[in-house]
Amino acid sequence: MTKTIAIVGAGSGLGLSIAKQFGANGFQVALIARNKASLDKLAANLKSGGIEACGFIADVRDEPSIVAAFAAIKARFGSVDVIEYSPISMEFIPPSAVTTEIAKKAFEFQILGAISSVQQVLSDMMKNQDGAILLTGGRSSIVPMARMGSLSPMAASLRNYAHILNEELAEKGIYAGTITVCCQITPEIANDIAALYWDMYQKRNRVEELVGEDIRIENGFPIRF
């Protein structure tokens, strides 16, 4: 049976690279984002390379749209075997300027969107005793960044979520992992991350990888070297 990967926050950079990596290994690709024109372009790009792909419109801050998108994905492709979550937001707000409303929006984008997306696929994964959840984060998840006062705490929460998901679900046959990206995502870096995710998905022997900076994780804490 052909497997399916759903990429939440799919774009022409990292999302496309991940789609091509998994698609080249036999996966169907469900692309999820807010812009239909962008989704259509991405799907056409993948189809030209012989990868079955389709776009589905959703906003990660709008749970009903996520629910509807995954219902449409299941109707088109069947159950989702791998989900990757990597919507990008670059809001430079100092911590002192973060209001509860700003924090709520960042929480919805970074955490609630991820949780809602995972919930759409988890029951099938539990039933099949197989699947993978890939959550992509940034440098502020391990190194607090004051200039990203609204997103830094949420990025840390997303990283934490990946770790505790893996702790709970590994014995049930479901892998959860995260890549923390500590650099600008160039086309080359995007391809490297995609290849790394494929390796993590296959081996399932570590929860986290860091890309792009002289930091490693020891016992859950960032260490410079």
Side-chain angles (χ1 to χ4, degrees), residues 7-17 19 31-33 38-39 42 86:
I7 300 173
V8 184
S12 59
L14 179 57
L16 182 59
S17 290
L31 304 158
I32 303 171
S38 175
L39 288 170
L42 292 175
S86 55

Side-chain angles (χ1 to χ4, degrees), residues 29-49:
V29 179
L31 304 158
I32 303 171
R34 292 180 296 177
N35 188 287
K36 184 179 185 302
S38 175
L39 288 170
D40 289 345
K41 187 175 180 179
L42 292 175
N45 184 314
L46 294 168
K47 289 178 181 178
S48 70

Side-chain angles (χ1 to χ4, degrees), residues 69-139:
F70 275 94
I73 290 168
K74 293 176 185 179
R76 172 69 181 268
F77 292 131
S79 61
V80 173
D81 302 278
V82 179
I83 182 172
E84 189 274 334
Y85 187 86
S86 55
I88 295 174
S89 177
M90 298 296 288
E91 295 179 343
F92 299 103
I93 303 172
S96 60
V98 175
T99 64
T100 54
E101 185 61 28
I102 290 172
K104 179 182 177 182
K105 289 180 179 179
F107 187 75
E108 288 173 343
F109 184 86
Q110 201 89 18
I111 305 302
L112 291 188
I115 292 173
S116 179
S117 298
V118 169
Q119 286 299 305
Q120 307 314 307
V121 303
L122 194 53
S123 61
D124 285 339
M125 290 182 179
M126 297 280 279
K127 179 180 178 181
N128 297 330
Q129 294 189 311
D130 191 20
I133 299 163
L134 309 175
L135 305 173
T136 306
R139 183 177 184 270

Side-chain angles (χ1 to χ4, degrees), residues 58-213:
D59 184 337
V60 297
R61 287 175 171 158
D62 177 23
E63 186 170 19
S65 74
I66 295 175
V67 173
F70 275 94
I73 290 168
K74 293 176 185 179
R76 172 69 181 268
F77 292 131
S79 61
V80 173
D81 302 278
V82 179
I83 182 172
E84 189 274 334
Y85 187 86
S86 55
I88 295 174
S89 177
M90 298 296 288
E91 295 179 343
F92 299 103
I93 303 172
S96 60
V98 175
T99 64
T100 54
E101 185 61 28
I102 290 172
K104 179 182 177 182
K105 289 180 179 179
F107 187 75
E108 288 173 343
F109 184 86
Q110 201 89 18
I111 305 302
L112 291 188
I115 292 173
S116 179
S117 298
V118 169
Q119 286 299 305
Q120 307 314 307
V121 303
L122 194 53
S123 61
D124 285 339
M125 290 182 179
M126 297 280 279
K127 179 180 178 181
N128 297 330
Q129 294 189 311
D130 191 20
I133 299 163
L134 309 175
L135 305 173
T136 306
R139 183 177 184 270
S140 65
S141 68
I142 56 173
V143 180
M145 299 173 66
R147 66 194 183 106
M148 301 184 73
S150 63
L151 293 175
S152 185
M154 312 311 169
S157 297
L158 184 69
R159 175 176 176 264
N160 184 288
Y161 182 50
H163 278 261
I164 61 177
L165 275 176
N166 192 72
E167 181 180 343
E168 177 193 0
L169 300 175
E171 64 181 21
K172 298 177 174 66
I174 301 168
Y175 170 73
T178 182
I179 291 180
T180 300
V181 185
C182 301
C183 61
Q184 181 180 357
I185 301 179
T186 64
E188 293 77 15
I189 292 293
N191 290 337
D192 289 345
I193 293 170
L196 191 54
Y197 261 146
W198 178 252
D199 186 70
M200 293 169 71
Y201 164 69
Q202 288 187 300
K203 295 178 179 177
R204 305 186 179 205
N205 60 356
R206 71 275 200 202
V207 181
E208 183 174 14
E209 286 278 4
L210 272 64
V211 172
E213 194 168 291

